[in-house]
Amino acid sequence: MKLAQIVEQVELLVQPILDDLGLELVDLEYQREGRGWVLRFYLDKEGGITLDQCAEASREISAILDVEDVIGTAYNLEVSSPGLDRPLKKAKDFDRFAGQNVKIKTVVACDPDGRGRNRKSFTGTLDGMAGADVVVTLKEKNAVQVKIPLDQIERANLEYEF
């Protein structure tokens, strides 16, 4: 079975458990690290997730994966919060975190503000979604607002200023 299929199957299995626990699946990774495999869940909820909630989710996820035996090889299970630089993946993430600082990297270089400067990296204040586009006010002298198609985003993360 391909990695993407394993991840998809695992996500389908654990989503009802996470829903029952009131937790959101932010990201799920299954990858080789060092000599073994790691299945890593990033979970969150409104107001943040606690260590005890991560531990409870880990127990529940481990139990269902042991019963269903989706992954045919040994792996380490990790469950944690997404951290301060939380990834944004779904349209609802971009609406939920409107007003926050964000850094976005696109799949291909683009010129969303029409100023003749193709680039792949954008930093600014997230304004939310407008249809299928993510709207960001760039951190530049002119504070230009740009629209980046969601399907053109390779990676987007919250960015905190200290």
Side-chain angles (χ1 to χ4, degrees):
M1 193 177 325
K2 293 184 179 182
L3 288 179
Q5 291 172 313
I6 291 172
V7 168
E8 186 177 320
Q9 205 168 6
V10 167
E11 186 173 343
L12 287 172
L13 277 173
V14 303
Q15 192 60 59
I17 292 167
L18 298 177
D19 290 344
D20 287 347
L21 295 172
L23 301 175
E24 171 193 0
L25 177 61
V26 174
D27 203 4
L28 172 58
E29 299 173 345
Y30 179 58
Q31 60 194 25
R32 191 177 237 340
E33 289 186 4
R35 294 183 174 207
W37 288 87
V38 176
L39 180 63
R40 186 174 292 121
F41 289 83
Y42 293 99
L43 306 177
D44 202 5
K45 70 174 203 156
E46 194 70 40
I49 188 169
T50 66
L51 185 58
D52 288 340
Q53 290 166 327
C54 285
E56 180 181 11
S58 179
R59 285 190 297 274
E60 296 289 330
I61 291 168
S62 181
I64 191 75
L65 292 178
D66 286 348
V67 169
E68 296 295 331
D69 199 24
V70 176
I71 303 173
T73 183
Y75 62 91
N76 289 315
L77 175 65
E78 293 182 8
V79 176
S80 71
S81 77
L84 288 178
D85 62 344
R86 182 193 204 279
L88 305 175
K89 301 240 177 198
K90 304 168 193 138
K92 69 177 186 170
D93 294 339
F94 291 95
D95 279 331
R96 177 178 168 194
F97 292 100
Q100 305 254 357
N101 293 326
V102 66
K103 182 171 186 174
I104 295 176
K105 183 177 179 190
T106 57
V107 176
V108 295
C110 59
D111 181 19
D113 57 2
R115 295 191 301 175
R117 293 183 3 195
N118 284 345
R119 57 189 175 159
K120 293 176 78 173
S121 187
F122 303 87
T123 303
T125 302
L126 180 60
D127 297 320
M129 294 290 298
D133 295 330
V134 174
V135 183
V136 177
T137 300
L138 299 179
K139 279 193 176 179
E140 296 177 356
K141 198 183 301 183
N142 299 341
V144 177
Q145 191 178 61
V146 297
K147 293 182 179 179
I148 303 168
L150 181 59
D151 64 358
Q152 290 298 306
I153 294 176
E154 180 179 317
R155 184 176 60 242
N157 296 83
L158 292 179
E159 211 169 68
Y160 282 93
E161 291 180 6
F162 295 97

